[in-house]
Amino acid sequence: MNSENECQNDQKFNLLCKWMGENGYKPCKKLKPKNFHDTGRGLLTKEKICTGDTIIRIPQNLLITSYVVLISELGPFFKRYCPKASGHQILSVFLMFQKAKEKASEWYSYIETLPLFYNIPAFYGPQCLSMIPNFLYEEAKRHVELVHKSYDQLEELFTHLKQSFPFINRFVDFNAYKWAWCTVNTRCVFMECFKKNCLGKSCLFHLALAPFLDLLNHNINVQVQAGFNQKTKCYEIISLSEFRKFSQVFINYGSHDSCKLFLEYGFAIPNNNNDYISFSIDDILLAYENVQLPLQLINSKLQFITQNNLIKNLVCSYDGLSWNLKMILKILTLKS
């Protein structure tokens, strides 16, 4: 990143912090947005952070949830034209709508700090998608199709929004939705859905966008406690790890393997203990094609494997072979 872009980003983040302060945000720690050479945008701490410290606390009024959207001017449109919209869709449309408002949006300072593009397959065009390794291609393609399907489901909603709010016409298309969908996918947090704000009887959790908090990057060796505090009415993150002064502060997105991290967040990490290699029953049979066993016996073994539901979770991880994989290999190596 050149110095001009860094200066522009600094100005945007300064405006973000000012706006948040005006809306009740009070820093728990001295955290500063910074561009790191290995992780990109992140948060640097200007003081030591100890285990048990609350590193960030975002007030409820600065959280973008489905409830916030449904009580806004968009609410009646969702209820009438797309009552079964998912939380992901609701937040995505809200981002598009607020971005179209530009400086007239109360969320303008936050929208301005969001990335313009993402490194996840759902954001890729056909040319980039074709360069993804074969073992990831089908899953990556599924993510792309998911965004298209999500957009198509909102067609009637978008038609009526354009009629009622002409200023959004040039901001509502598939590319704009793809950007918003990827923003939610890479930056949302999960919040417990309390009864008074619940969107449905089966809803246990809902998505939320949390300005400033979404600058925190992932580290597999870091542990945190995170969630909405009913007493303080804030979404809080408590660190269970220590950070030196002037170091980058991390959180943990979960026990994800590198494929999951790449598909959902657009990055992978070296020496990831959650990584594994998966196998299909066809892969295993291919390795046994030179084994001199009667076809009838092989078919009998396959029938036993299938009937006992052993063809799931055939993986090799840092802990070794999964139990199912061990059993299949043992069954196939038996002479009878």
Side-chain angles (χ1 to χ4, degrees), residues 7-275:
C7 183
Q8 291 176 347
N9 279 335
D10 286 344
Q11 292 175 352
K12 289 179 180 179
F13 287 121
N14 287 338
L15 290 174
L16 173 67
C17 293
K18 180 182 178 183
W19 168 75
M20 292 181 65
E22 292 170 348
N23 286 276
Y25 172 71
K26 296 180 180 179
C28 300
K29 293 293 178 181
K30 297 177 181 178
L31 303 180
K32 177 184 177 183
K34 179 178 171 60
N35 192 67
F36 297 88
H37 73 279
D38 53 346
T39 61
R41 303 190 323 171
L43 288 177
L44 174 141
T45 179
K46 302 173 88 171
E47 60 181 310
K48 181 181 178 181
I49 293 177
C50 300
T51 300
D53 285 350
T54 300
I55 57 177
I56 201 162
R57 183 180 288 126
I58 307 297
Q60 186 174 22
N61 62 298
L62 288 176
L63 299 172
I64 304 174
T65 65
S66 296
Y67 179 74
V68 168
V69 180
L70 294 178
I71 62 171
S72 73
E73 65 264 60
L74 295 178
F77 291 87
F78 275 107
K79 292 171 184 176
R80 182 172 182 179
Y81 302 111
C82 199
K84 294 184 179 180
S86 68
H88 201 141
Q89 290 174 313
I90 291 171
L91 294 190
S92 298
V93 173
F94 184 77
L95 283 179
M96 294 171 68
F97 190 76
Q98 297 302 321
K99 191 170 186 178
K101 280 187 172 182
E102 298 181 311
K103 291 185 178 181
S105 168
E106 62 179 303
W107 299 94
Y108 175 78
S109 296
Y110 172 56
I111 301 292
E112 279 292 283
T113 64
L114 295 173
L116 297 177
F117 60 89
Y118 294 93
N119 291 323
I120 62 175
F123 197 81
Y124 291 177
Q127 185 175 359
C128 290
L129 195 64
S130 66
M131 299 175 69
I132 291 178
N134 290 336
F135 70 92
L136 269 177
Y137 180 77
E138 287 303 319
E139 188 64 20
K141 184 180 177 183
R142 187 184 70 81
H143 280 235
V144 172
E145 292 170 349
L146 181 62
V147 182
H148 279 278
K149 182 179 179 180
S150 179
Y151 177 74
D152 291 341
Q153 291 172 343
L154 296 167
E155 181 180 2
E156 185 179 7
L157 174 76
F158 286 137
T159 298
H160 289 280
L161 283 177
K162 288 179 180 179
Q163 292 172 356
S164 299
F165 305 99
F167 69 88
I168 70 169
N169 282 358
R170 66 188 183 94
F171 292 94
V172 176
D173 56 26
F174 176 72
N175 285 331
Y177 183 76
K178 180 175 69 172
W179 167 82
W181 191 96
C182 291
T183 298
V184 176
N185 197 72
T186 57
R187 314 183 82 74
C188 71
V189 296
F190 289 91
M191 284 178 53
E192 185 176 352
C193 192
F194 304 106
K195 289 184 179 179
K196 67 177 182 179
N197 289 351
C198 196
L199 300 175
K201 293 181 180 179
S202 62
C203 180
L204 297 177
F205 296 93
H206 57 214
L207 305 180
L209 290 169
F212 194 76
L213 180 149
D214 58 12
L215 290 169
L216 288 163
N217 287 318
H218 170 73
N219 188 304
I220 193 173
N221 298 313
V222 168
Q223 295 298 322
V224 298
Q225 288 180 349
F228 187 79
N229 187 325
Q230 279 285 69
K231 292 182 179 179
T232 63
K233 298 299 180 184
C234 295
Y235 189 92
E236 300 176 349
I237 294 182
I238 299 172
S239 179
L240 302 181
S241 305
E242 293 188 354
F243 296 95
R244 300 189 312 273
K245 185 178 181 180
F246 298 126
S247 67
Q248 182 174 184
V249 181
F250 292 97
I251 58 175
N252 192 319
Y253 294 177
S255 300
H256 303 312
D257 64 273
S258 293
C259 292
K260 176 79 170 179
L261 289 173
F262 171 68
L263 290 167
E264 298 289 345
Y265 302 106
F267 67 87
I269 55 177
N271 303 317
N272 186 348
N273 291 334
N274 296 307
D275 280 342

Side-chain angles (χ1 to χ4, degrees), residues 285-297:
L285 289 175
L286 187 63
Y288 276 85
E289 64 180 3
N290 294 323
V291 177
Q292 300 300 315
L293 289 176
L295 181 60
Q296 184 177 358
L297 181 56

